[in-house]
Amino acid sequence: MTTTDIPSQRSTPVGHGSMPRKEDERFLRGHGRYVDDITLPGMLYGAVLRSPHAHARIVSLDTSAAQAHPKVRAVITGRTLEGLNLAWMPTLSHDVQAVLATDKVRFQGQEVAFVVAEDRYAARDALELIDVEYEPLTPVVDATRALDDDAPVIRDDVEGRTDNRVFDWETGDAAATDAVFASADVVATQDMLYPRVHPAPMETCGAVADMDPVTGKLTVWTTTQAPHAHRTLYALVAGLPEHKIRVISPDIGGGFGNKVGIYPGYVCAVVSSIVTGKPVKWVEDRSENLMSTSFARDYHMHGEIAATRDGTILGLRVKVLADHGAFNGTAQPSKFPAGFFGVFTGSYDLRAAHCRVTGVYTNKAPGGVAYACSFRITEAVYLVERMVDVLARELDMDPAELRMRNLLRPEQFPYRSSTGWEYDSGDYPRALRTALEMAHYDELREEQRQRRERGELMGIGVSFFTEAVGAGPRKHMDIMGLGMADGAELRVHPTGKAVLRLSVQTQGQGHETTFAQIVAEELGIPPEDIDVVHGDTDQTPYGLGTYGSRSTPVSGAAAAVVARKVRERARLVASAMLEVDPDDLEWEKGRFFVTGDPTSGKTIAEIAMAAHSDLELPEGVEGHLDAETVYNPPNLTYPFGAYVCVVDVDPDTAQVKVRDFVAVDDCGVRINPMIVEGQIHGGLADGIGMALMQVMAFDSDGNHLGGSFMDYLLPTTMECPSWRLGQTVTPSPHHPIGAKGVGESATVGSPAAVINAVVDALKPYGVRHVDMPATPAVVWRAMQGRPLRTDLAIT
Ligand code: MCN
Ligand code: CUM
């Protein structure tokens, strides 16, 4: 049971509320239009030749046989691109990545050549005609060995580089933290790994590039979460004029961060359209997606937590080794090379904290962040929530009680954390109390006591999270120096129907519905009468796209602001219609009326018609009922939540079964509670998957061991309990409608609850920690006191 009733039984609200999604009819009838549905006259197909080695020198590359294939139109190699100055492209993290390898291959699956042919099959066939001679080199697979003196230098393409260090970054006050630790009664430490995982969206990545040789205009239909950012990058990388580039992101079959960056295949499609003068389509297959597009996590963390004997947490000290693969890939805010990991103090009132993150290159696919991650907050929350449980064990204290004692209190907001983050609003104890009550926590502990007496392994895990979402404020974030303000444009047509144009792009989150609802709430126009246009740079205002759950915090705010601008314009038009002073008009949802005379009102539709008519408009009003805005958020929004997970572990097979999961989320005002709950359901499934099943492992030669869904396991309904959701609502004080983002909350908050539950279940075996994923093998080995590392195929 969830906190809302069945959506179909509800009437459509005019503004916020659980209305069914406008986009679903299209999707359910099979009328979605994805990149691979785009077919253009004369279109050619591209395929990528990938490296079988994790680390090797390219001795020779012979494409003549492929070029001689009757259906092949072009073969592009790193040398071709070098001639165009395009062999290397900038990543979103101030690094460069090889588009097609020239000197060396640096991960298995790296792009080596691109074949363009008349059909998909010929392109694939011709790949096998390319003859590459490799001289294998020793790969660096284990991040913990990447900085060894004898480790081969992976990025010798960068002049002067002598080791595999990507960056060193620290935050917090080291001296203050040392002092707090020196004064503590108790210090607990724990090493933990957040393994490499992959978002694995239903739709893989791809692009159709069409360079019009007559107009010189390039159109790229592509799987992107950030069309405008891609357009700017194409302009900067390829030197094409930006107004001659149109990026279209049609329907997207899930992004989850996988579609933030630009992949070599996109660039190859663009280059080959320019070279051949024809449209070129490239769509990767599943194993290409799993092997080579951006992975996430891969954080090797060492945590230390200091407290008083009575359970007051004083400080945290953290060291992280971050495995970034061969190129430092997906969006890493340049001001924070470790993303938003700096919020690792979590939801607690700590005196001091310090962390140091060292990024390293390894011979693995690039990436580094994205998978419903809020830019590393996933890792940060997992770390602090595991550390609190480790401390609870050390103090022999109930983990829920320890959290309650240390959570930030409502009167501390707005709160500035010891690492400098400004939390906007929250009532944390209320959320935790709600979750504990819904879970019947005290009864669960009693049940656990009884089961333990019978030798049964039941675990109860609690986690609390705070996220920082809505990338926008310049002090926090930029992408390649671009600030992150987002535009919105609203046009109300003469008949009162409207079109809202946005810079963000939905991948399944329901923007066509919720953004229409935001405007509907402000103007009283039914959401059905408001079309949301997004995902096309020729039709929408500039903005940096959807990730880090920023659409609601940034573009949601822009939508409300632009609707309010229209409303103020409508007030002036209505004052002319009713021949009164604008200040004498009052607004109720959908209409203006003269103060004291509610019968005198004019609806937005009536006002819209008048605004387009020959009505004499007041001075300064240009006519029509349109507005535009650019929203520059003053701060991030800080959603939070309290989760309780109950697991049973089979003592004979070490199989973990999630029996119950309670999630209390607070994302401020909810625009569409049904969609919010859907987001949370999805994120919880992700969280269970990461905690129990998902890991991208490699063998000692750097071979990727997760290239299909047979090897890389995703959760299904079989692994998921019937989620039980609750909520509290603490509006964001700086957001025009008080909303905070929610799209990644459950993925961020839930893995720690699951692992805390698994470790709790194994308490009778003296187990203090289990690394993700807690597969039966991992749990079994933990019970034997022989921890198993799952990211490397080494036992
Ligand atoms: N919402 C709401 N009320 C709130 C907050 C959000 O009604 N207080 C609604 C929003 O209007 C939107 C949805 O919930 O329809 C998610 O909003 P938001 O939290 O703003 O997140 P974004 O729209 O920016 O989506 C990005 C986020 C990220 S970064 C990942 S990763 C992820 C996620 O969304 N990828 C997804 N959820 C996903 N869901 C689907 N189906 N597919 C993905 O690829
Ligand atoms: Cu971090 S995955 Mo989402 O931000 O697209």
Side-chain angles (χ1 to χ4, degrees):
M1 201 190 68
T2 63
T3 48
T4 54
D5 48 9
I6 301 162
S8 59
Q9 294 177 345
R10 258 176 256 129
S11 61
T12 303
V14 164
H16 302 170
S18 288
M19 68 178 275
R21 303 196 328 164
K22 289 167 63 173
E23 44 268 82
D24 280 346
E25 182 170 344
R26 177 167 94 249
F27 293 140
L28 292 174
R29 287 163 171 254
H31 291 307
R33 193 161 185 252
Y34 300 88
V35 167
D36 207 10
D37 294 321
I38 309 292
T39 300
L40 302 174
M43 191 171 77
L44 304 173
Y45 296 80
V48 174
L49 181 72
R50 293 179 183 279
S51 165
H53 299 284
H55 200 192
R57 189 177 311 286
I58 298 175
V59 179
S60 65
L61 178 65
D62 181 359
T63 61
S64 52
Q67 245 145 355
H69 188 290
K71 288 191 169 177
V72 167
R73 297 291 193 86
V75 181
I76 292 178
T77 65
R79 297 276 169 243
T80 330
L81 295 179
E82 262 180 349
L84 301 164
N85 210 12
L86 284 176
W88 294 82
M89 62 179 184
T91 69
L92 297 173
S93 326
H94 298 257
D95 195 357
V96 288
Q97 170 171 2
V99 178
L100 293 173
T102 47
D103 53 341
K104 275 181 173 181
V105 286
R106 293 177 169 84
F107 67 92
Q108 190 189 46
Q110 187 178 340
E111 299 78 0
V112 175
F114 191 76
V115 171
V116 185
E118 284 164 25
D119 61 57
R120 235 175 249 227
Y121 310 99
R124 281 283 168 134
D125 285 349
L127 291 183
E128 291 176 20
L129 301 174
I130 299 176
D131 193 13
V132 192
E133 191 189 329
Y134 294 101
E135 177 199 329
L137 302 168
T138 309
V140 179
V141 186
D142 185 347
T144 65
R145 311 297 305 276
L147 294 177
D148 286 357
D149 287 342
D150 59 350
V153 178
I154 298 167
R155 293 299 301 282
D156 56 353
D157 57 291
V158 182
E159 222 180 272
R161 181 174 282 290
T162 54
D163 64 15
N164 292 316
R165 194 180 300 270
V166 184
F167 61 80
D168 268 311
W169 179 72
E170 60 182 313
T171 185
D173 185 333
T177 308
D178 289 347
V180 154
F181 270 74
S183 72
D185 301 330
V186 183
V187 172
T189 65
Q190 183 62 51
D191 286 328
M192 62 188 86
L193 170 67
Y194 206 133
R196 175 176 280 242
V197 291
H198 193 284
M202 243 195 283
E203 179 202 32
T204 60
C205 298
V208 177
D210 183 19
M211 170 57 101
D212 185 324
V214 179
T215 62
K217 180 136 183 174
L218 170 72
T219 305
V220 191
W221 287 263
T222 186
T223 47
T224 173
Q225 299 178 210
H228 293 276
H230 279 207
R231 186 185 67 186
T232 302
L233 284 176
Y234 286 130
L236 294 174
V237 173
L240 295 166
E242 195 161 357
H243 66 296
K244 292 285 189 189
I245 306 173
R246 178 181 185 186
V247 175
I248 301 175
S249 180
D251 285 327
I252 299 292
F256 305 101
N258 194 221
K259 292 164 181 165
V260 177
I262 289 185
Y263 297 115
Y266 301 175
V267 179
C268 289
V270 169
V271 170
S272 42
S273 177
I274 296 171
V275 168
T276 61
K278 298 278 180 198
V280 176
K281 177 187 279 187
W282 169 74
V283 177
E284 64 184 3
D285 66 22
R286 178 60 60 191
S287 69
E288 292 181 283
N289 179 257
L290 288 172
M291 279 179 84
S292 60
T293 65
S294 78
F295 74 93
R297 326 289 192 249
D298 223 339
Y299 256 35
H300 300 252
M301 305 185 274
H302 168 79
E304 299 174 24
I305 189 165
T308 60
R309 176 60 53 200
D310 69 353
T312 301
I313 305 176
L314 302 172
L316 260 179
R317 194 155 47 197
V318 181
K319 281 201 195 96
V320 179
L321 189 65
D323 185 339
H324 282 263
F327 309 105
N328 188 19
T330 317
Q332 294 275 76
S334 60
K335 289 168 192 171
F336 301 100
F340 287 5
F341 191 81
V343 298
F344 69 99
T345 58
S347 314
Y348 307 102
D349 188 12
L350 304 186
R351 296 208 191 136
H354 180 258
C355 95
R356 183 187 298 278
V357 183
T358 302
V360 293
Y361 291 115
T362 59
N363 289 109
K364 299 178 193 166
V369 185
Y371 178 177
C373 57
S374 307
F375 298 104
R376 299 286 188 200
I377 296 180
T378 335
E379 290 92 329
V381 164
Y382 179 71
L383 173 102
V384 63
E385 290 305 303
R386 278 298 298 131
M387 290 315 296
V388 170
D389 260 44
V390 167
L391 177 66
R393 180 74 69 86
E394 193 76 30
L395 295 169
D396 198 19
M397 212 170 150
D398 181 273
E401 192 191 325
L402 180 59
R403 283 182 174 78
M404 198 57 101
R405 184 176 292 212
N406 290 283
L407 284 176
L408 293 169
R409 297 178 308 280
E411 65 274 14
Q412 289 178 282
F413 289 89
Y415 169 79
R416 196 183 156 83
S417 80
S418 54
T419 48
W421 299 74
E422 287 156 35
Y423 295 25
D424 58 353
S425 64
D427 185 342
Y428 294 2
R430 182 162 64 116
L432 182 55
R433 262 196 315 275
T434 308
L436 296 176
E437 277 162 23
M438 283 178 66
H440 304 291
Y441 188 75
D442 295 337
E443 291 157 43
L444 284 172
R445 285 286 174 208
E446 175 54 25
E447 181 192 339
Q448 183 186 46
R449 198 188 56 74
Q450 292 174 15
R451 284 185 187 270
R452 278 190 180 152
E453 279 174 10
R454 299 198 294 269
E456 294 173 24
L457 301 178
M458 167 185 170
I460 306 157
V462 180
S463 70
F464 200 100
F465 69 90
T466 302
E467 273 194 283
V469 302
R474 269 202 105 101
K475 63 182 170 193
H476 284 307
M477 187 125 176
D478 68 282
I479 293 285
M480 296 188 60
L482 295 166
M484 304 192 76
D486 281 53
E489 291 171 14
L490 180 62
R491 287 186 201 159
V492 182
H493 305 313
T495 55
K497 317 286 179 193
V499 56
L500 173 69
R501 296 173 189 277
L502 296 171
S503 57
V504 287
Q505 158 70 356
T506 190
Q507 303 99 49
Q509 298 89 335
H511 290 182
E512 287 164 49
T513 308
T514 46
F515 284 88
Q517 287 182 271
I518 292 171
V519 171
E521 177 81 14
E522 299 299 328
L523 292 181
I525 302 173
E528 289 79 0
D529 290 348
I530 303 162
D531 247 355
V532 174
V533 174
H534 54 193
D536 180 343
T537 55
D538 269 11
Q539 294 209 46
T540 55
Y542 197 84
L544 285 184
T546 291
Y547 37 81
S549 304
R550 69 188 292 278
S551 303
T552 305
V554 187
S555 283
V561 168
V562 82
R564 286 173 192 177
K565 279 191 175 180
V566 162
R567 195 166 76 202
E568 283 318 299
R569 178 155 308 180
R571 177 193 293 276
L572 299 178
V573 177
S575 79
M577 293 167 80
L578 294 164
E579 296 177 343
V580 293
D581 192 87
D583 293 339
D584 291 336
L585 289 174
E586 275 180 49
W587 170 255
E588 66 177 7
K589 210 184 261 185
R591 62 202 276 280
F592 279 108
F593 63 92
V594 182
T595 305
D597 181 10
T599 56
S600 63
K602 294 288 180 199
T603 65
I604 282 288
E606 288 166 327
I607 297 168
M609 186 59 85
H612 289 82
S613 73
D614 59 358
L615 174 78
E616 186 101 11
L617 292 170
E619 192 88 18
V621 179
E622 291 166 321
H624 299 182
L625 206 48
D626 307 335
E628 59 180 60
T629 196
V630 175
Y631 188 75
N632 245 308
N635 192 3
L636 299 161
T637 66
Y638 289 75
F640 58 93
Y643 291 175
V644 181
C645 174
V646 186
V647 303
D648 295 302
V649 179
D650 185 324
D652 297 322
T653 64
Q655 177 92 31
V656 177
K657 177 92 189 152
V658 178
R659 185 209 299 182
D660 193 15
F661 203 108
V662 169
V664 173
D665 272 87
D666 191 324
C667 56
V669 171
R670 295 183 174 201
I671 300 147
N672 185 319
M674 179 197 73
I675 286 180
V676 168
E677 293 189 355
Q679 290 288 304
I680 294 167
H681 284 185
L684 293 176
D686 270 334
I688 282 200
M690 285 185 277
L692 299 181
M693 312 163 75
Q694 282 166 255
V695 58
M696 276 299 172
F698 291 80
D699 72 10
S700 52
D701 291 329
N703 290 311
H704 182 279
L705 304 178
S708 82
F709 286 148
M710 297 289 283
D711 309 296
Y712 184 68
L713 303 182
L714 296 182
T716 67
T717 49
M718 297 299 287
E719 284 76 34
C720 299
S722 186
W723 313 111
R724 295 199 294 134
L725 306 191
Q727 62 167 309
T728 60
V729 176
T730 315
S732 168
H734 61 80
H735 189 279
I737 57 173
K740 304 181 179 187
V742 77
E744 298 160 303
S745 290
T747 320
V748 168
S750 59
V754 181
I755 294 298
N756 285 345
V758 172
V759 174
D760 184 49
L762 301 180
K763 190 176 179 186
Y765 286 80
V767 172
R768 265 173 55 109
H769 177 71
V770 172
D771 269 331
M772 294 189 277
T775 60
V778 167
V779 172
W780 182 258
R781 286 278 295 263
M783 289 160 72
Q784 315 292 313
R786 294 185 304 135
L788 177 66
R789 197 171 155 183
T790 52
D791 60 326
L792 296 175
I794 301 167
T795 45

